[in-house]
Amino acid sequence: MKDFDPATSFGSTVAAHYDDYKRGDEEDAAKFLAEYAKEGSALEFAIGTGRIACPLATKGIQVDGIELSSHIAEKLCARPEGKNINVIIGDMSRATTNRHYPLVYLVFNTIFNLLTVDDQIRCFENAARHLTPNGYFIVETALPHAWIPPGKSDYVHTEYVGKETVTLDVARYDPVTQLLEENHVRFTTQGITLSPIVCRLITPGEMDLMARIAGMRLIQRFSNWQRTTFDIDSKAHISVYGF
């Protein structure tokens, strides 16, 4: 997508509405992750507004975070639970807290926000650098076909239809670059707003290879935070990597 820059795509306007729609899996995710934070600390890549970090912190886990958007990080720091969460502003594939953790985690497709294979590999390597010798790197993503069915390269989905508002999800996928160019188009009586985003979709097998490059291996894989078996019908996966 011409002129799209991930570093500037999550500005103050996006931050203002970032928490408008809860996904409902926060408590299940926190419970799952707390089991791996054996020494009571964890690092979240792309921590956002603390959707997962805050409920995890209430379980006695000291959570640190790396976040690219200062606008979104400000919303986290303004939350009562966020005052004890340390956040570094930077790229999760390169930034460091200069600490080691039994758990590093990355949720809800955010690995896809890194738009080259090299940056995605660097993210795995950065996670490995932050882990204790027996630590775990946990990644949650959807499968690519959850967006783009085989044989299709684009789509238009209706996200919302109201009396004064209509929202469409318009996307195009390039199988060569593996980039999904997407724009959420909102029509209102006041005008049209666009919310563009670009993601690089990768499969579980590609992630496993990235982990190997970073010196890790797949330990476990589930379909969801409830530990449902990952199988042919799965649309998402939670992968646990370690040394």
Side-chain angles (χ1 to χ4, degrees):
M1 186 181 292
K2 185 179 179 181
D3 299 328
F4 177 82
D5 182 1
T8 59
S9 61
F10 293 92
S12 57
T13 301
V14 173
H17 300 284
Y18 199 81
D19 291 328
D20 285 356
Y21 303 100
K22 292 293 185 182
R23 300 187 179 105
D25 62 352
E26 290 78 18
E27 182 57 31
D28 288 335
K31 182 178 178 181
F32 182 104
L33 294 167
E35 295 180 20
Y36 292 88
K38 297 171 294 187
E39 298 174 14
S41 65
L43 171 63
E44 180 172 356
F45 284 175
I47 194 170
T49 60
R51 182 180 71 90
I52 302 299
C54 288
L56 183 58
T58 64
K59 298 185 181 300
I61 308 301
Q62 173 58 53
V63 183
D64 292 344
I66 294 175
E67 172 55 48
L68 186 62
S69 169
S70 60
H71 297 282
I72 289 179
E74 286 172 5
K75 292 201 69 175
L76 166 60
C77 295
R79 297 176 62 167
E81 315 96 307
K83 298 189 183 302
N84 295 320
I85 295 177
N86 302 310
V87 181
I88 298 294
I89 302 299
D91 181 340
M92 64 183 172
S93 69
R94 301 172 187 273
T96 181
T97 64
N98 293 309
R99 292 188 57 200
H100 294 93
Y101 307 83
L103 171 65
V104 178
Y105 66 96
L106 177 57
V107 301
F108 203 69
N109 306 316
T110 314
I111 184 80
F112 296 162
N113 289 351
L114 299 170
L115 302 184
T116 69
V117 63
D118 288 338
D119 281 341
Q120 290 174 337
I121 291 171
R122 272 191 284 269
C123 183
F124 274 81
E125 292 173 332
N126 200 26
R129 282 192 292 271
H130 283 90
L131 287 176
T132 58
N134 296 315
Y136 297 96
F137 180 38
I138 297 178
V139 186
E140 178 202 15
T141 77
L143 297 176
H145 70 258
W147 277 284
I148 298 289
K152 291 198 66 175
S153 61
D154 56 23
Y155 65 76
V156 177
H157 291 163
T158 303
E159 291 189 320
Y160 179 80
V161 177
K163 183 179 178 181
E164 297 183 342
T165 302
V166 173
T167 305
L168 303 179
D169 180 11
V170 183
R172 178 179 59 186
Y173 179 66
D174 183 345
V176 177
T177 61
Q178 297 176 223
L179 294 178
L180 179 73
E181 299 176 329
E182 187 175 13
N183 209 321
H184 298 273
V185 185
R186 189 166 181 259
F187 301 88
T188 71
T189 53
Q190 286 75 45
I192 301 172
T193 57
L194 304 176
S195 300
I197 189 168
V198 180
C199 297
R200 185 175 189 274
L201 307 184
I202 52 177
T203 65
E206 290 176 280
M207 288 175 48
D208 295 349
L209 287 172
M210 292 176 184
R212 286 287 188 175
I213 292 170
M216 299 182 288
R217 61 184 178 87
L218 180 68
I219 305 296
Q220 292 175 302
R221 175 168 285 139
F222 306 100
S223 284
N224 51 42
W225 298 114
Q226 293 79 30
R227 300 177 182 266
T228 301
T229 300
F230 181 78
D231 60 22
I232 193 171
D233 296 318
S234 298
K235 296 295 177 64
H237 66 105
I238 295 164
S239 297
V240 180
Y241 296 99
F243 297 109

